[in-house]
Every structure is written in C-alpha cells, then in structure tokens.
Amino acid sequence: MFAGNQEISVKRVYSRKRSRDVLKTHLTPARKRGEVTCSQQCPQNWRLSSIMADGQAAEFYSDSEDLFGDYDSLLQDSSLLAKLDDAEHNERQQDVRRSAADQPDFTALRTSKDAVWKPSREDVLTDSILDALGDEPFEDLPPSQRQFQEQVCENVKRSRLQDGGKTSTPLRNTDGPSEPGTERNLEDKRQPKARRSVADQLKRTMLCNAAAPANVSRTVALKEAVVSEEISVAMQAMETVSAETTDLGPFFGLPTKVKDLMYKLRGIESLYDWQETCLNLDCVQQRKNLIYSLPTSGGKTLVAEILILRELLCRKKDCLFILPYISLVQEKVRGLASFGLELDFMVEEYAGSKGKFPPVKRRNSRSLYIATIEKAHSLVNSLIETSRIEDLGLVVVDELHMLGDGSRGAVIEMTLSKVLYMSKATQIIGMSATLGNIEDLQTFLRAENYTNDFRPVQLKEYVKLQDTIYEVDPKEEECFRFSRPLNFKYSSAMQKIDPDHIIALVTEVIPTHSCLVFCPTKKNCENVAGMICKYLKEEFLRLREAEKAVLLRELRDSGNGSVCPVLRKTVPYGLAYHHSGLTSEERKLVEEAYSNGVLCLLTCTSTLAAGINLPARRVILRSPYVATDFLKRSQYKQMVGRAGRAGIDTVGESILILQDKDRDMAKTLVCAPMENCFSNLMHDDGKGILSLILSLIGLNITTSEDQLREFLRGTLLYVQQKRMCVEKSLWEVVQQCVHLLKEKDLITVAADANGQTLQVTKLGKATYKGSVDLTYSDVLYKDLSKGLEGLLLNSCLHLVYLVTPYDMISQCKPDWMTFFRQFTLLSTAEQKMSAAVGVPESFVARKAAGQTVKKSVNMEVARRMYLALVLLSLLKETNLWSVADKFQLSRGFVQTLLSSSSAFCSCVLHFTEELEEFWPFKALLTELTRRLSYCVKAELIPLMEVAGVMEARAKQLYNAGYKTLTHLANADPAVLSKTIENLYKKQAEQIVASAKMLVNEKAAALQEEVDDLLMMPSDLPTVSNTEELL
C-alpha cells in the first residue's frame, strides 16, 4: 500500500472526559491556547541581555520522565502513538497476506534471477506516514517537536537524494537481473531483522529532543539541564560580547544554580557592594591580572571562589588556589567539595604528602587544585615539564603579601614568575593585606589593583595603659584618645596574679559574647587560661554543660584515654587554649567547639590569626610581643582583624595591653602606614635564586645565561633590584649562582657554536623535582648511597632515619637517658644499623652516664637518630600521647615531626625516582609515606583520606559500620549525624561530600587509564608511512 492511496484517520480516544480548556495545558502549543506566539514575544536574533535576564530560567524535560503517559503534545491527542502502532500493525498484516499469496513456497530461500522485488508495505510505511505529517507546517509547535519535525524532513531529503528519488528504505533488488555475487547479500538482507517501529522512532526522537528549551515553563524544573544551558550561554557570551560588557549571566556569568548553592551551602543570599564592584571591573572581565586588598574578614575569598567557578565552568580550564597552611587547604577542600559534586569538577588536595605530580589529565572534567605554597610550586613545575601549563586558566594566591616572608615568599615568587613567563593566557589573582609598596607587586604581576577599606562589622581599636582604656585615633597627636576607666574591683591578691586586668577585660564580654586573648608564648596561653578560670563564677559551669562534657570525652578519645590537664580544668568553664603544642585533632575539636559557641574564650598564639578564621566580639592582645620580638604591623592587623563576627555582632573591639616602656613603639605599631613587601629570592645567602636557576635549567625554560637574564626581568627581584642588589648587580649574582651550581655538580656548562649551553645533571634534576633544599641535596645523596650498602629491611628504622627531616634536627635536644633506654630495646640488627650510620651503643651509654666521649661523633647524626626512634615508636604504637610522654617531648612537637617526616618522605621519593641507582627505594618509600601520613591502624587509613577526618572520628565511623571510602560516599548525612556522637549535620554533609569527591577522583583516574589503553595511537604505522621509512 502506497502513501498516495491510504489515509490514516486519527480519532481522539480518552478514558476520562475533560473540557477543551483542560486540554490546553502548558504543553499545548501557544497558538492553540490563544496566547501570543513565540515569534511575537521574542525576535529571532535574541540578544545576550535577554538570554541572561534575571527572569525565570528556561526549564527542561528529562528523559527519565514519561512524556507519553496520558497526553501527547504533538497533536493534543493521547492516542496518537497507539494509532500509529495500530496502523503499522495493519500494514504488516496485509503485507504478510499478500506475500503469502505471491509466494506460497516459504522453503525457497533464493529467488530466480528474473524475479522482481516489489517494495513491501513495511518499506514505505515510514515514509508514507512522515510524508503525511510533513504536509502541514509546524509553525506553532514547541521547540522540541519543531526540532523533531525538521530533523525528520532533513533525513528524508538526504535519503531520497542518495537513492535517486526512491523511498527512504532501500529496495531488496533492482528491476534488472542481479549481478554475480549478489545472491548472498540478498539472502542476508532477507533475514529477519529487528526494525524500529514508527512509534519507537517518535518516542526515541522526542526523548532525545526533550532537553531542548521549551517556550513555556514546566512545574518541575530539572536543574542539570538549566545549568548546562546557562553555562553554554555564558561561554558564548564570553566569546562574543565586547570587552566592556560586565554582566555575562544571571550570577556573574555563572548559572543560577551556583547562586542557589551559595545560599544552600554558605547561607549567602547577596554579595557586598565592593564584591559586586570588584567582579564587574573591566580588568576582571578582560581577564587581566588583579591584586585586591581589603581588611581581614572583608569577604575577599568569596570573590576568588566566584572567579574560580567561572573559569572551571565557562572557560573549561583548570584552576590553582594557593593557601599558606595545610589546615587552610584542608578546610577549603571540605568547603568546595560540595560545589565540585554539584557542578561536575574535581577538587584535589595538594598538602603535606598528598598530591600527584603531574596531576591526572582529565578529558571530560576540570580540576581545582588547592595547594600549599610548596606543593603549588611543584605542581606548576610538573605542568611545565609535561607541556600542560596552558591548561591552567587561573591562579589565585591568598595572602599575597607573604611574598615578603622569608623562604616561603621566595617560593611564591618562583611559582608566579614561571606562570607569567610560560603561559600568557593564565590569569593571576592575588589577595593581599594593604601594603605600602603595592605598585611593585603590580609591576611584577602586570596587574591592576583594587583596594577597599570595607569591613562587614565596624572595628574599634583600643589600648590599655594601667587601668585606663584609650581609643586609637591616628588624627590625635599622641595617637590615643581617652575612652573610659576600667571599672572592676580588684583585691590585692588578684592584683598580684592579674596585674594586666585581663580578667576584667574578658568578663565584660563572656559568656554572652566570644573573646580571643593573644599571648606572646605557648606557655603563657596555658597560664592565662588557667588564671581566668580561678576567678569565674560558678554559673559558667552550668552553661551548655552537656556539650562541654561531650567535648571533654572527645578530647579524651583523641588522646587514647589521655586529656590535657589544663583543658580538663578550663573546658567546663567554656575556656581553652590554642597553639602548636596541641595535636591537630585537639586543635580541630577546640576550633569546632569555639565556632559552635560551646567555648566562649580562647587564649592563643599569633598562629591562630594567620590560620583558620575564628572571629570574636573582642580581641585582647596580652602583649605587643611575639616571643621576644616586637609585633609587626601586618601581624597586629591580622590579630585585631579577627574582632567582629559578620551577621552576629554590630561592632568588634580590639584591646592592646601596654606597659609604659612600650608606649612609643606602640604608637608606631597602631598608627604607622602599612609595611612594604620585598623580594626574598636573595634571602638566606641567595638560596631562592639558586633554586630558581636550577629549576629553570632543568625544565628547559632557559639554557643560557642570556635567557636566564631575560627570565629574571619578570621577577619581583628585578623590579626591586636597586634596593635588593646593592653590593652586586643582578647579573653578577646570576653568574655567581651558575658557578656555584656547577661546583655542586647540579648543572654542566657546555660550549658550542652558539656560546655556552647550560644543562642539568641527574642529581640536579632529582633535587628540583624532589623540592629538596640545596643545602641538603648532596648530604641526602650520600646518606641514600650509604644506606643502599646495607639497607635494613626487617625493620622500618633504617628507612625512617633516611626520611627524618634535616631541618627538624636543630629543634631537638635528646634526653640521653631516654635515648639509652629506647636504644637497648632495639633488635641486634637495628643496633648495628645505628652504629653503621655513626651512633654506636657505647656513645649513647656514655652520654647517658654523663661521661665524656673520646671518639668524635657527629651530634647532628645522633639527634637525627633520636628523632628516628620517636617516629619508629609512633609507627609501632600509633599513640601520640604515650610516645610524647616516653621521649619527654610535647605532643605538638611530635605531631609536627610526624607531618614534616611524611612530607619529606614524599620529597625523597620523588628524588629517588630520578636516579636509577636508587630504584629499590621507590616501592619502599611509597608505602612508608602512606604510613607516616596517617600513623593509624591500616583499617582506618581509607577513612582518614577524607579531608577533616581525624583518628578519633575515623574510629567512630569505623565502629558505626562506615568502614570504607565507598561507605562514607554513599552515606546519608542526616543518618550519619545521628549515628556519630557530636557530629553536626553540616560537618556530616562536608564529610560525605569530601568522600564522594575522593571516590569520583579515583574512579576518574582509573577511567583515564582505561581510555589511554583503548585509544588508538596517533602514530600507528600504516602501509604508506612504513613504505616511506623503508
């Protein structure tokens, strides 16, 4: 039956009666609803502004929904698809009957040569129906159906052109006799074959096109489709709009889902005015480099995060976020993991021993690398070495003023100089405190500057002299203006114990508000916390009593049954101390309790101000000193910047306690202009510039002294050379460095026709790839070489000794009696190993007995062995408290030793990978790095890979049945928070999100390996190129 002599009659069939008005749903074409058509509403050439308007976003269908349940939007008829099925079924039945009449012998599998195939009804059915559908224009259809109709017409045209005007289904034979060799093909074509029906084709095509935006809204919005569309529009906008355009989308060029996530995950409904201004700056829109400076707590990080998300989602480029401390990296990884899961990008941690060099190259998703200063430098080196630096679209540096901070400042300068030199397309954003010479940094980074003095909460600065409070006022001649006397009655006994009136100052705000007391030393922190408790009323004990009891229990669990006696006394009053003497787990518990209001006061050292953000209503500076050094203005500003909690307080206060002798210096501290920031490449006898030159030669960025000079023109050192290079010119310094590196056998200088060529040696390459300090590279090489001669493998001691950090040795003074006691517990093989490295038993015994030692023993080696014994005990016991007690060391020092050793072990691993003679160390150090990183029982390690999960929490999770990373990734945060004691829902959500991100990261890495294995090599030999080679 041909299309011309058969008409399909379609009749409405519906099980329930409904009025015609009811039929006009939101799926009904606009013209049939009597509404204004799409062509009348929007012109065909949509403008960007209309696409990105703040109105309701276009909504989409999902292929998981049943579009054909009881209504079909194509002809307002729920039975159309059923009718098509019936029509096709009838056609096939007739076709079968006619075929039976024409061909009664079904055993004949082959036709005669003169037989002519007639096209069956099945062959032309598709065309006949679609031709009928094509007779009527579909001008008023929704876009999904219009798209389907246009696609069908195009396919029909293409098929007919290919077949010379015949039907879209090829005929089984031609009118003429078949050519030799075609019978087999004809037989194959006549075999029964699964054929998709018209209804199936319609369903499939409509499902495929259902994701196209409709011109009308749908009640259930599918957010993934919205995000995809808005990202697409933002990408088009970034490519097509003029540079002056500032608003690229509903949320600064990002999908509305990002705005929703900001509210859902952070509680942020709107941005501050300065943040909107900064994001809309011309230099930001044009992707120029930017330095922006604001006071502490001004909201700098949010701007950086929005720019990072825009780079990841709209430009599809990787990003690097550089933070100064491991704790900040871990906090940021936890905070951004949820965004990564929702918006489909990876969040990767580069801190301590974590991080892969080079990072896994991902084809289908982008990565946000969150790194410490040192890890960021290694990451950039690995990207340059693998020619992937162009994949890095954005580098964000927090605390950019740390460029002036010793050796760490030198590493920041090296990292940024390489990015500037190697990738012109990479944008650099720097967040900085206000600096006096910000112009130098602008010149170095070729950046623009945005400065604002905004604070979400007003800060009032005061100083206390004797029993009087003065307000800081730079306009006053003396810098201080009288504010009020201190009203608090002190007994003579109290006056002796608390001459600085700290108790009076803190009891004005606690327990209603929070307070931070910065102290000059760690011991002073503990003493001040204990002193305040003695004079607090008993009502402090009754506030949030149950939560304090839980905190003490968790502190006890973290110490495997031990709890600090000072914390045991102060926590019931809502007080605690915070400094590097605490373990990382104790610090985390104290920080969480303070953030949640369980603790109302912390006594702390200056490190808290530079680390995690813990704001307070009042900040008290116990003294203008850090240890014995007078405060720098930047340190002072960082501390007082913690005063005032956004959304909680209306004002923040800082009080600096002064003695009369410090009054004049304090005036300079509180009223002087901001400090300047200077390059540190020349710091510590030029260690920074030596390391820089070595890595430049090793990475083939420069191969001659002229190229070195050219590169150095792009450094901060060059900008400030008149100040920094007084005794020698910069070029003389370069020549001296090249000579020194050659002497250390780290580079070679070869003469050729073009002059001298600089090349790195194997040792030099191992040194810069392992990020090993140049001071220790030759020592490390000798130690590893000597270790290979008699490597002890039945114990970890020898390996642990080899990865004990050299820079920790000076911080340790062995207790010789403890040393001897632990030495006697070693096995015979371990004692021999100790003697082999230069620490025999006789030496330790004489030192323990207080006798003079005749033989000269290197004391640095002896101290290093003592630290190695501490680490060995940790690996055996995994109880940090008992080990600290056993070796008479503070638990904070033992924690620092452990984390430094795991990081150095990772460096030594990369060092040995570049030197063939050290091949045995690769497998050994890989496992040792893992053990040192976590130092817990093996079953807890997978759980502790999750950012923010410490040993005590890992034990809780394991005991509750969450034994693997997969368990955590699939956990319900609500159930998790109820199951695990003292785990708040927000913390549970962050743990689950971090676990999911880790699982995704590992799965993606494995998938990349699979793809690489299955991908056809681009240089696969072919016949033509093989012949050419021959």
Side-chain angles (χ1 to χ4, degrees), residues 802-842:
L802 291 173
V803 300
T804 300
Y806 294 103
D807 55 1
M808 292 288 291
I809 295 171
S810 60
Q811 302 175 40
C812 168
K813 291 182 180 178
D815 180 301
W816 292 106
M817 187 53 73
T818 303
F819 197 164
F820 180 68
R821 195 160 40 241
Q822 294 302 315
F823 195 95
T824 56
L825 297 175
L826 297 176
S827 67
T828 306
E830 289 172 332
Q831 290 183 2
K832 284 183 180 178
M833 171 256 141
S834 179
V837 299
V839 188
E841 183 182 10
S842 58

Side-chain angles (χ1 to χ4, degrees), residues 471-484:
E471 186 172 355
V472 174
D473 186 356
K475 296 175 185 176
E476 292 282 327
E477 186 176 346
E478 290 295 310
C479 274
F480 307 138
R481 185 176 70 245
F482 174 80
S483 176
R484 64 184 173 90

Side-chain angles (χ1 to χ4, degrees), residues 20-31:
R20 190 161 294 278
D21 290 334
V22 173
L23 290 175
K24 295 175 182 177
T25 69
H26 62 285
L27 292 175
T28 308
R31 185 176 296 171

Side-chain angles (χ1 to χ4, degrees), residues 29 72 228 291 443 465 473 613 622 632 674 876 898 943 948:
D72 176 68
S228 176
I291 302 169
T443 305
L465 275 163
D473 186 356
N613 185 22
R622 166 80 176 73
K632 295 178 183 177
M674 289 304 294
K876 285 181 179 178
L898 183 63
L943 298 175

Side-chain angles (χ1 to χ4, degrees), residues 341-361:
L341 290 173
E342 293 282 351
L343 301 171
D344 193 28
F345 63 84
M346 294 292 179
V347 179
E348 300 184 37
E349 180 182 344
Y350 281 77
S353 60
K354 291 185 178 179
K356 187 175 176 62
F357 304 104
V360 176
K361 188 173 184 179

Side-chain angles (χ1 to χ4, degrees), residues 47 138 166 278 350 359 366 535 566 667 779 842 987:
R47 295 184 306 158
F138 284 64
K166 299 188 180 84
C278 186
Y350 281 77
R366 287 296 160 193
Y535 293 95
V566 177
K667 287 179 186 177
V779 180
S842 58
Q987 294 172 313

